[in-house]
Amino acid sequence: MSGKRSPARRPTMKDIARHAGVSQSAVSFALNGRPGVSEDTRDRVRQVAEELGWRPSTAARALSGEGAATVGFVLARPADTLGVDSFFLQLVSGIQEVLAERHLGLLFQVVEDIADECAVYRRWWAEHRVDGVLVVDPRTDDPRPDLLDELGLPAVVIGGAPDDRHPGLSTVWADDAGAMASVVDGLYALGHRRIVHIAGLPGLAHTERRIRTLRAEAGRRGLSEVRSVTTDYSDVEGAAVTRRVLEGTAPPTALIYDNDVMAVAGAAAATELGFAVPADVSVVSWEDSALCRMVKPWLSALSRDSVEFGRTAARELTALLDGGSARAVRVPVPRLVERGSTGVARGV
């Protein structure tokens, strides 16, 4: 006996026709919403199709011009940084929740860089693989909006801004500048004058907005010992940069990290160097998650509903797929939740 299993046979339109007692053409008309059959026949055919577990072939849908029933999502980031990134896990969870309601699949791919991402979009478009795409990590010099406009692929940019959006694409955005200003306000009120922002990837639009806002807030207050250092978002770089800035002359009294993973790793690195949190150095995480409440002291963090962020982006994309117009949608500003990792600056 062979150990190889035969694949299960999928129900076909011919099976539906036989069970419903109608022709295959009548089944096609009924399931595709076309005229040519009575409402009674249409209802009977749909009921039989549901009982048999029939679903339309995505390949056939693509060939007929009816779409692939799939949404694309490409991520151009180091793959080894994704497994511990709570933001993307929650974002995808929200996206999938909305897509599931519409019986849409999510085609996800991780690539090395933006050039590879653009190549994926071209291939998906040529192969009719997706009906639209969700775009993350907008860049300061980004080739993707023009490409997607050229291809005619409906798209939603997650994390863009109204002043840099492409007219053909929808944008779901958060006020990074306002969030950074709120963090600086809180730290300044606690007497902190030497602040280091341990940022994410350089070239990302939201990274640059946060850096610009920190610089502007420092300038407004006459603070000369405030700066940003970019990283790859990983715990390794978060800890390494923390050690470097704390071992320098006039170490900062406050550290702002662009995600929870770096914040936890940075707090641990500070402790290893003999810095007490928050007595010697305050720590703020840009993203809030369970990680921030699994260390001592609990980390102060900017809190937002990342799952709802994903839901909003997915709803905007399905609206485009339904023929809606592109628009910019703002989500609530992340809220600073103060916990045990922030305190009054030394000497204040």
Side-chain angles (χ1 to χ4, degrees):
M1 292 179 61
S2 171
K4 185 177 181 180
R5 290 183 0 182
S6 299
R9 181 178 175 275
R10 296 183 179 89
T12 65
M13 285 192 176
K14 184 176 181 180
D15 296 326
I16 298 172
R18 185 172 67 254
H19 281 78
V22 297
S23 66
Q24 289 188 56
S25 59
V27 171
S28 178
F29 291 154
L31 294 178
N32 291 303
R34 297 172 182 163
V37 293
S38 69
E39 286 305 312
D40 286 343
T41 298
R42 194 183 306 279
D43 290 342
R44 185 164 75 255
V45 166
R46 288 175 174 170
Q47 181 178 349
V48 170
E50 184 65 29
E51 291 171 352
L52 294 178
W54 177 87
R55 294 292 182 271
S57 162
T58 55
R61 285 171 58 89
L63 289 172
S64 66
E66 295 179 5
T70 302
V71 166
F73 184 12
V74 184
L75 193 56
R77 278 199 186 185
D80 58 0
T81 67
L82 299 180
V84 291
D85 194 322
S86 62
F87 170 73
F88 275 107
L89 294 175
Q90 293 178 60
L91 184 77
V92 171
S93 177
I95 290 169
Q96 184 58 44
E97 186 178 315
V98 172
L99 297 184
E101 294 171 356
R102 295 283 297 262
H103 304 291
L104 294 170
L106 181 65
L107 183 56
F108 179 69
Q109 188 162 341
V110 178
V111 296
E112 288 292 324
D113 52 35
I114 290 295
D116 287 344
E117 182 174 342
C118 289
V120 169
Y121 292 147
R122 289 188 182 278
R123 185 172 71 253
W124 282 353
W125 171 80
E127 296 174 354
H128 303 275
R129 295 287 298 277
V130 298
D131 299 322
V133 294
L134 294 159
V135 180
V136 294
D137 290 342
R139 264 65 174 177
T140 51
D141 185 15
D142 202 328
R144 294 173 297 175
D146 285 339
L147 171 61
L148 293 169
D149 194 43
E150 172 194 329
L151 298 177
L153 266 178
V156 172
V157 178
I158 301 172
D163 56 350
D164 59 13
R165 64 184 293 264
H166 194 279
L169 310 181
S170 284
T171 298
V172 177
W173 67 286
D175 186 2
D176 290 295
M180 177 60 86
S182 72
V183 174
V184 177
D185 279 341
L187 292 174
Y188 186 83
L190 291 171
H192 294 280
R193 303 296 182 262
R194 298 196 302 275
I195 302 170
V196 172
H197 167 216
I198 300 180
L201 289 165
L204 297 186
H206 65 262
T207 300
E208 299 303 324
R209 282 197 297 271
R210 295 172 190 179
I211 291 173
R212 285 197 306 270
T213 303
L214 178 66
R215 189 181 301 126
E217 292 295 316
R220 188 164 67 86
R221 294 175 172 85
L223 305 180
S224 59
E225 297 180 275
V226 173
R227 61 192 173 105
S228 298
V229 183
T230 56
T231 69
D232 65 358
Y233 283 112
S234 71
D235 57 328
V236 174
E237 285 206 13
V241 172
T242 301
R243 294 188 189 97
R244 189 163 71 243
V245 299
L246 290 180
E247 289 176 331
T249 57
T253 63
L255 298 167
I256 305 168
Y257 295 86
D258 262 5
N259 70 9
D260 51 348
V261 174
M262 292 198 298
V264 170
T271 301
E272 289 171 2
L273 290 175
F275 287 79
V277 177
D280 297 319
V281 62
S282 287
V283 171
V284 178
S285 168
W286 195 276
E287 297 293 341
D288 194 12
S289 74
L291 278 178
C292 296
R293 301 181 299 279
M294 294 174 68
V295 294
K296 290 185 178 180
W298 285 10
L299 301 186
S300 297
L302 280 164
S303 179
R304 62 178 167 184
D305 191 341
S306 300
V307 175
E308 183 58 28
F309 205 166
R311 292 191 195 105
T312 302
R315 291 190 193 106
E316 290 305 309
L317 184 55
T318 56
L320 289 178
L321 297 181
D322 290 339
S325 299
R327 62 178 191 158
V329 177
R330 176 177 169 175
V331 297
V333 180
R335 178 177 57 89
L336 179 61
V337 178
E338 295 189 44
R339 300 191 179 107
S341 68
T342 47
V344 175
R346 294 190 306 266
V348 175

